[in-house]
Amino acid sequence: SHIGDAEATEITAAAKEALAALGPRDVTVLLAAIPYEDALVLARALPQVDFMIQSGNERGTVAPQRVDEKPPVVFSSAQRGQALGKLEVRVGAQRPFVDLADADRLQQQLKTVDGYLSFVRGNSKDVQELKARRQNLQRERTAMESPRTSTFRFTWQVLNSIYPEDAQWRAEVLKV
């Protein structure tokens, strides 16, 4: 069941009050034990939160999501013990936080453009467009990787019976 309008108002008011009582902070993570759809509603009302980790009645690994392209980034932890989510955060001077998965996609696009450029010769309109595309992609990627940029990376590790035996996995879990 979903929270009703009255309960949503109470939850939002209580969350805003708690956040105000915290005072200044570098990063704000909100844990929300409510259905995913309700977490998205709550996220819209709390742009001062950087990350919201939701747990509830959903199943599956959902990609991080921003409501209306604004903070917070909402993560669903609804794997019921079947997967472990890992959030790595780098706090820089610039906000909002940038998803490093986007930087990874830019890198793949750069490789694709470089591949095309390695096969075409001359100075045709197509070559000029590819070079311009490459320059724009590189500029975007450089901005994302600047030490001033706040970034995050979220990954899922699906659990199964081999992990208790795996030394690398054990070491990763012990970091947590």
Side-chain angles (χ1 to χ4, degrees), residues 12-129:
T12 302
K16 286 182 177 182
E17 184 179 329
L19 290 167
L22 289 174
R25 57 209 171 267
D26 292 332
V27 177
T28 305
V29 178
L30 182 118
L31 305 178
I34 57 178
Y36 189 73
E37 295 82 13
D38 295 336
L40 297 178
V41 171
L42 185 59
R44 183 175 281 123
L46 300 172
Q48 67 271 46
V49 171
D50 296 302
F51 303 104
M52 180 184 294
I53 300 175
Q54 174 275 338
S55 66
N57 59 354
E58 305 296 320
R59 293 182 67 89
T61 51
V62 178
Q65 182 175 345
R66 283 189 172 96
V67 179
D68 302 328
E69 297 301 314
K70 298 177 185 170
V73 180
V74 180
F75 305 93
S76 176
S77 64
Q79 274 299 311
R80 298 186 184 187
Q82 298 173 18
L84 180 68
K86 179 180 178 183
L87 175 62
E88 298 173 83
V89 175
R90 182 182 76 199
V91 180
Q94 296 174 341
R95 300 285 177 96
F97 282 87
V98 172
D99 187 348
L100 287 176
D102 293 339
D104 295 344
R105 283 188 284 280
L106 286 173
Q107 182 61 36
Q108 285 302 115
Q109 291 175 8
L110 276 167
K111 286 181 181 180
T112 301
V113 169
D114 286 344
Y116 289 140
L117 285 171
S118 71
F119 288 107
V120 293
R121 301 286 181 246
N123 204 18
S124 69
K125 181 180 177 189
D126 290 339
V127 170
Q128 292 303 313
E129 287 175 3

Side-chain angles (χ1 to χ4, degrees), residues 125-141:
K125 181 180 177 189
D126 290 339
V127 170
Q128 292 303 313
E129 287 175 3
L130 283 170
K131 287 180 178 179
R133 175 76 177 137
R134 187 187 194 296
Q135 190 174 26
N136 289 336
L137 289 169
Q138 187 62 49
R139 188 175 18 255
E140 282 182 62
R141 186 166 177 265

